[in-house]
Amino acid sequence: MTAGGPAAMDDGDGKGGLRAALSGLTTRGRSFLAAGVAAAICAYVLGQADLLRVGLLLAALPLVCAVVLVRTRYRVAGTRRLTPSRVPAGSEARVHLRMDNVSRMPTGLLMLQDRVPYVLGPRPRFVLDRVEAGGRREVSYRVRSDLRGRYPLGPLQLRLSDPFGMCELTRSFSAYDTLVVIPRTEPLPPVRLAGEASGYGEGRQRSLALAGDDDVIPRGYRHGDDLRRVHWRSTARYGELMVRREEQPQRARCTVLLDTRRIAYRGTGPDSAFEWAVSGAASALTHMLERGFAVRLLTDDGSAVPGEGAGGFAGSTQESADSAGLMLDTLAVVDHSDGSGLPRAYDVLRGGNEGLLIAFFGDLDEEQAAVAARMRQRSGGAVAFVLDSADWAQDDVPPAGAEAASERRLRLLRESGWTVVAVPPGTGLAHCWQQAGHQGVAAQSVTTGGTTGFSGGWS
């Protein structure tokens, strides 16, 4: 919620206020003024005193309205509220506007207009009747965008008009809000991905202290702690209630890698390959967070989000919710990078065992396919969704041998341990996700001699 402070509906009594009022004359006001001046000139030429009085009356009416309007002191406060403030692309958000008259006198007719980017739709306009002293008026409108991004809403503008419609004055509030349009997310089925390292997923092991399940290092009692966990020996030693501390289970890790290289994608718009990859990354990280994984978002330029906590991953449940919002906000504004390779992302990943790695790649040449193959060595399991621009840009004719070269790169990834899914145009991520699960089952069957045991967990 953003509140615009009380806005005085006057420019004062100086020349600047009168100049603003004269510039705010409507077509009707300008017509009256022009007619009055023309009548006065004709009266002077023809020597008609009655016509001169009519001309002066016509010319004086809009001027008097402008002076009265500029000297009128209205104080109005505006409040804007977004529900919700973060929406997926293609969904609607409602904007609620509330106007409060904080002056001691009623207002006249108010015309309200909120500034919105053109991609969200036309500018909303409302006409508010007389608002009594201390009264309020509430209006609302809807906004919708098929393109992700951050869009400013505001500042709010009020237009005050005199009863005769001769003059209009516009005032603006300084406050504005931001609507975040995040990528579309698709619910994913709970499939098992083969190749996860031991200790990851729902089957991860819990670290136990040498003394048993309970860590003998005590801590101070907190409201809500189970009294059965009171450590009486430490309580007697420190003179305050102490409880035994449990060591928390290790949390599964998952890195979602998004390839944003400009040279890796062709085409623009909501149905382009790059937008599919962004939406796929958003769906994957949301799905993995719901499965209890600690997730981070990594791009080809080495930027990691959230970048805090252990190894840059999301921490506790509350931190996961905040981190999910941060990662989705990052994906809302992510754009193409000017890089030509994946070494920076590899440098981040080679620091240690990263758990499960889910990557969304664009076009990969031989060199970048080799870099991606080395990434697999630092992860417990790896799944790659590869988007071939030649397939997505259907108006282009791929060069001879391009299909064979692409297949060689995919085979290189598979031989290095990746579960690779080639994404054709128009395919939903849920279908590709299931395909990755089926490939994992087949690979695990070969490894275990026909059995379908899994070393990983639900993903």
Side-chain angles (χ1 to χ4, degrees):
M1 177 183 294
T2 299
M9 299 300 295
D10 70 297
D11 281 329
D13 300 328
K15 295 181 179 180
L18 183 58
R19 187 181 302 111
L22 292 177
S23 64
L25 288 176
T26 62
T27 303
R28 180 184 301 176
R30 296 177 186 273
S31 300
F32 268 68
L33 183 60
V37 172
I41 294 175
C42 293
Y44 176 77
V45 174
L46 300 176
Q48 296 290 330
D50 294 338
L51 183 58
L52 178 60
R53 286 191 289 269
V54 173
L56 292 177
L57 177 62
L58 292 175
L61 182 58
L63 297 178
V64 171
C65 291
V67 172
V68 172
L69 188 62
V70 78
R71 293 179 63 87
T72 301
R73 304 184 64 86
Y74 294 147
R75 296 186 66 82
V76 181
T79 303
R80 182 189 298 104
R81 178 168 53 90
L82 298 177
T83 53
S85 60
R86 182 190 291 117
V87 296
S91 301
E92 291 184 345
R94 182 168 289 275
V95 183
H96 302 269
L97 302 175
R98 192 183 76 182
M99 306 305 301
D100 295 274
N101 183 10
V102 296
S103 64
R104 296 182 179 180
M105 60 181 300
T107 68
L109 187 67
L110 298 178
M111 286 173 285
L112 183 65
Q113 176 179 280
D114 206 9
R115 290 185 177 180
V116 299
Y118 72 94
V119 296
L120 299 182
R123 287 188 177 182
R125 294 180 175 88
F126 306 94
V127 178
L128 303 181
D129 293 333
R130 177 180 177 271
V131 182
E132 65 278 4
R136 68 176 56 172
R137 297 289 186 271
E138 294 185 4
V139 294
S140 65
Y141 63 94
R142 294 177 296 180
V143 291
R144 179 180 182 274
S145 175
D146 292 327
L147 301 175
R148 57 185 176 83
R150 294 174 60 91
Y151 301 103
L153 300 179
L156 191 63
Q157 290 183 331
L158 283 178
R159 183 172 297 175
L160 181 64
S161 177
D162 66 281
F164 299 102
M166 298 289 178
C167 183
E168 292 180 351
L169 292 181
T170 301
R171 299 291 182 267
S172 296
F173 294 93
S174 59
Y176 66 93
D177 282 290
T178 301
L179 175 67
V180 181
V181 180
I182 61 176
R184 294 185 182 92
T185 57
E186 185 176 351
L188 302 179
V191 300
R192 293 179 184 266
L193 302 179
E196 297 182 30
S198 177
Y200 291 88
E202 293 295 310
R204 55 188 177 273
Q205 300 294 324
R206 175 180 172 178
S207 298
L208 301 179
L210 295 179
D213 285 355
D214 300 328
D215 192 343
V216 297
I217 301 177
R219 62 168 175 81
Y221 175 81
R222 300 172 185 170
H223 179 71
D225 285 337
D226 190 349
L227 292 178
R228 291 176 296 182
R229 303 203 56 76
V230 174
H231 196 262
W232 297 109
R233 183 179 300 177
S234 299
T235 299
R237 177 183 302 175
Y238 294 103
E240 60 176 325
L241 203 59
M242 307 292 289
V243 297
R244 291 172 291 181
R245 175 166 39 191
E246 286 186 346
E247 185 166 320
Q248 299 298 321
Q250 294 180 355
R251 199 166 183 215
R253 288 183 174 185
C254 175
T255 298
V256 178
L257 173 61
L258 176 62
D259 181 10
T260 65
R261 296 172 298 137
R262 188 181 303 275
I263 62 175
Y265 300 94
R266 302 179 193 174
T268 57
D271 298 328
S272 64
F274 180 67
E275 292 300 325
W276 193 99
V278 173
S279 178
S283 302
L285 65 88
T286 303
H287 177 79
M288 301 308 292
L289 283 172
E290 292 174 351
R291 294 298 180 271
F293 281 70
V295 181
R296 72 173 174 182
L297 173 66
L298 179 66
T299 59
D300 58 287
D301 60 2
S303 302
V305 181
E308 299 177 357
F313 292 84
S316 63
T317 302
Q318 180 61 35
E319 292 174 351
S320 296
D322 297 338
S323 299
L326 179 58
M327 288 185 283
L328 289 176
D329 289 348
T330 301
L331 290 176
V333 296
V334 70
D335 201 357
H336 290 291
S337 68
D338 295 328
S340 58
L342 304 171
R344 292 183 179 179
Y346 172 74
D347 291 340
V348 176
L349 292 172
R350 69 178 181 179
N353 197 318
E354 300 299 330
L356 180 62
L357 175 61
I358 302 175
F360 294 85
F361 292 121
D363 285 336
L364 295 174
D365 56 20
E366 298 291 343
E367 180 181 356
Q368 304 315 316
V371 175
R374 292 196 299 270
M375 292 180 183
R376 173 63 183 85
Q377 302 171 2
R378 298 295 181 177
S379 62
V383 181
F385 299 94
V386 182
L387 294 85
D388 191 341
S389 293
D391 293 337
W392 284 78
Q394 299 179 2
D395 55 340
D396 294 343
V397 178
E403 184 176 353
S406 177
E407 185 58 35
R408 286 197 305 271
R409 295 162 194 148
L410 297 183
R411 186 169 59 251
L412 174 62
L413 294 180
R414 292 190 180 98
E415 292 174 351
S416 63
W418 283 86
T419 298
V420 182
V421 178
V423 182
T427 306
L429 179 61
H431 175 75
C432 296
W433 195 263
Q434 288 182 332
Q435 186 177 352
H438 296 332
Q439 290 187 21
V441 170
Q444 191 69 24
S445 299
V446 173
T447 303
T448 59
T451 63
T452 56
F454 290 86
S455 61
W458 287 98
S459 57

